[in-house]
Amino acid sequence: MATLSLSSRPLTFLRPNRTKPPLHRLLRRKPLASSSASALTPPTPLPDPTDPGPTPLFLRPASHPVPAAALAAFRRRAAALVPPSAPHLHRHLRWLLADAAADPSSDPALLRAPLDHLEAMWTGHVRDRRPFQYVVGNEHWRDLVVAVREGVLIPRPETEAVVDMVRKVEGFADGWWADLGTGSGAIAVAVARELGAEGRMFAVDVSEVAVEVATLNVQRYGVQGKVEIRHGSWFEPLQDVEGKLMGVISNPPYIPTDDLPGLQPEVGWHEPKLALDGGKEGLEHLLHLCEGLSSVLKPGGFFVFETNGNKQSEFLVDLISTKWNSSFRNVEAVLDFAEIKRFVTGYRR
Amino acid sequence: MARALLLRVARYPPLPTPSALSQTRLLPLRRHAPSPLRFVPFALPSSSVSTSSDAPSDGGGGRKGGDGGAGTGGCVDYLGMSDEELMEQCEMGTFKASGPGGQHRNKRESAVRLKHRPTGIIAQRDSPQAVEDRSQHMNRASALSRLRTLIALKVRRPINLEDYTPPVELLQILPLKSTVRGKDVGPQIGPNNSKFSPGMQALLDLLFAVEGSVSDAAKILGLSTGALSRLILSDDSLRTAANELRASKGLKPLR
């Protein structure tokens, strides 16, 4: 009976370990969130003057008074830059103003950035195809407003379903979970908000920017008591919890390297390659994750990985259920809302 | 020993279970057989609702089909299902042809459109002007709540008036002065509460059973005709549904 062999293949060449981020500085912020925080208006951390990271637009103080007429003129100029045939851009303009102004209807309006900055942000979006989410510094994902910036993947709507799958696992609330390659921390925060007293989430990422952004999101939602952010590559920082995890969640980079040049500019030009490039066939990280699973999961533990779609999911289901049949059961591909086999899930025996 | 793995393609949300499929016979739109569910066709004002005329092909009768709530006569209680269970019976057609998706893509769909397979009811945003949430998850949640309202308005379940007692979800939306409403029912639930839909559905079921007569329904509910009329008129969609129902019985609309 073949047992799952752990890969000794070093992956450091793919995801080089950089020096540790100054975590003490990030963690020094006061815990600001309370459990009563509403989903859409989470408490905003006070600006820390020593924090070198750029504060997302929507969290900056509304300290720039602009006459209503000037704001209206900006709105007209901005709308004129995009054709009526692009309704999503008009939607983005409404959202930009909603995020940039404390009260867009007051006169003067109080903006979170000078008007010429807004102007530059808007042209950056429509001309340079900078993702709207990086412009305003957030993405609305499930019932969260997740802070994002360049250097972390913008969480995708497909991934929202992962939280529902995890929640259905028996004993979910009091288990220990890991989100590998947490990025903005969206999954980790959404899952942590539903964990019980014993539940815990280890959010791992090799990117320093991701560690910073995830830390911010964890604080904004007040789940720092449940989420432990660890800097490192995949399973590396989890050696002390081997065999203890109820579940492993990951949305790893899965786009085949050859497909990167053809990506939508918002994605290909602006989002981090580190979070997108899955190597040859897009499977490099997914395979590494599959190989490490059985040593971190406790018996009966659950895993869910997001994949590139039908081909990758079918391949992985087939691989796990033949090569590692003795280690896993109930391995299956799960469809997303567009009926694409987007996820692979299963349980450790 | 190696056991055969359970290999199958799951769906998120999962497809209905085989036991649910066997219940398709109970579903509406089979006009050749007596059906416990019936549609009362009517148009909703400013609605984006349509009811497909094709019979349900892929089942999804609902796991709770056999449970039967009080007064529902043992037929499918869609509104008693959890959001997840209801979602399992829905298609999100809008997203079918959206390319590779996932990490490839940065674009939100503008609206979530849900088709409830067992009934053919389609729920989407009320109008293009309606406020759209920035999260797809939230858009789906509001489409689902819209679907619940539409099910309440459109899906009629038969009532046996001989031994009818109003179900608790109906009692909850009645004014406190109702004489059949026990003290333990709690405060009156209004149209903005998510629990209003099941009560509205039960009220329309009753009104349907008494051939649209508000005074007959009021008697059964321990209310004056005026009090029940006021309840019906308090919600636009309920009023419209009740008046369509009355019109189909040749009765004048409530005003």
Side-chain angles (χ1 to χ4, degrees), chain B:
Chain B
M1 291 309 298
R3 275 184 287 144
L5 283 184
L6 174 57
L7 282 182
R8 66 182 177 94
V9 174
R11 152 196 282 264
Y12 187 81
L15 284 166
T17 56
S19 65
L21 292 172
S22 65
Q23 286 166 9
T24 48
R25 221 159 289 137
L26 294 178
L27 293 171
L29 302 169
R30 302 268 175 135
R31 294 194 184 83
H32 57 274
S35 161
L37 298 182
R38 242 160 290 167
F39 282 108
V40 181
F42 60 85
L44 287 168
S46 72
S47 81
S48 48
V49 178
S50 62
T51 307
S52 79
S53 56
D54 52 317
S57 54
D58 48 358
R63 291 201 289 259
K64 291 199 173 170
D67 297 350
T72 63
C75 60
V76 183
D77 180 18
Y78 297 119
L79 299 184
M81 294 180 179
S82 69
D83 281 357
E84 244 172 28
E85 289 169 325
L86 199 53
M87 197 69 196
E88 285 175 13
Q89 301 189 330
C90 291
E91 278 166 23
M92 286 173 61
T94 326
F95 300 98
K96 283 264 169 81
S98 56
Q103 290 170 6
H104 287 261
R105 191 171 151 84
N106 180 351
K107 187 174 187 294
R108 285 220 169 265
E109 303 302 336
S110 55
V112 170
R113 176 179 174 277
L114 292 181
K115 177 174 173 185
H116 185 234
R117 287 191 302 267
T119 60
I121 293 176
I122 292 172
Q124 54 194 11
R125 271 188 303 157
D126 294 348
S127 71
Q129 288 79 39
V131 177
E132 182 192 336
D133 199 275
R134 285 160 73 167
S135 142
Q136 185 156 295
H137 177 85
M138 301 300 274
N139 280 322
R140 202 159 50 225
S142 44
L144 206 50
S145 117
R146 176 101 185 117
L147 176 66
R148 284 183 182 278
T149 305
L150 293 172
I151 287 174
L153 295 173
K154 286 167 160 282
V155 177
R156 292 286 65 82
R157 302 162 301 175
I159 284 173
N160 184 358
L161 288 173
E162 306 281 297
D163 59 354
Y164 178 77
T165 39
V168 65
E169 56 268 26
L170 173 50
L171 295 177
Q172 284 175 331
I173 71 167
L174 298 181
L176 300 180
K177 61 188 166 194
S178 156
T179 55
V180 299
R181 194 184 200 282
K183 281 206 176 72
D184 49 338
V185 173
Q188 185 182 8
I189 281 172
N192 294 330
N193 190 310
S194 65
K195 289 181 188 156
F196 189 75
S197 285
M200 182 162 77
Q201 185 180 33
L203 176 57
L204 287 166
D205 291 342
L206 176 61
L207 202 59
F208 185 71
V210 297
E211 307 274 308
S213 162
V214 175
S215 59
D216 286 359
K219 258 176 241 155
I220 294 169
L221 297 177
L223 288 170
S224 68
T225 306
L228 182 57
S229 299
R230 280 192 292 280
L231 172 62
I232 292 170
L233 295 175
S234 70
D235 181 70
D236 282 349
S237 51
L238 173 57
R239 184 197 60 213
T240 310
N243 280 338
E244 292 285 344
L245 193 155
R246 280 169 63 83
S248 72
K249 309 282 182 187
L251 298 172
K252 282 186 296 186
L254 301 171
R255 288 174 197 285

Side-chain angles (χ1 to χ4, degrees), chain A residues 134-212:
Chain A
Y134 289 155
V135 171
V136 290
N138 69 59
E139 172 66 318
H140 291 227
W141 189 84
R142 289 186 68 89
D143 56 346
L144 308 175
V145 179
V146 178
V148 293
R149 64 176 157 97
E150 265 92 352
V152 299
L153 186 80
I154 298 160
R156 304 293 201 261
E158 283 87 347
T159 315
E160 291 176 335
V162 164
V163 181
D164 298 314
M165 292 179 225
V166 164
R167 210 165 40 179
K168 278 196 236 161
V169 173
E170 204 187 325
F172 146 78
D174 287 318
W176 286 14
W177 293 82
D179 176 22
L180 302 183
T182 195
S184 64
I187 297 174
V189 171
V191 171
R193 270 155 56 94
E194 308 200 25
L195 287 176
E198 304 296 315
R200 208 157 173 196
M201 168 63 78
F202 300 95
V204 175
D205 209 293
V206 74
S207 145
E208 289 171 29
V209 180
V211 166
E212 279 183 32

Side-chain angles (χ1 to χ4, degrees), chain A residues 204-223:
Chain A
V204 175
D205 209 293
V206 74
S207 145
E208 289 171 29
V209 180
V211 166
E212 279 183 32
V213 173
T215 302
L216 173 65
N217 284 314
V218 163
Q219 286 173 344
R220 272 166 42 73
Y221 284 97
V223 286

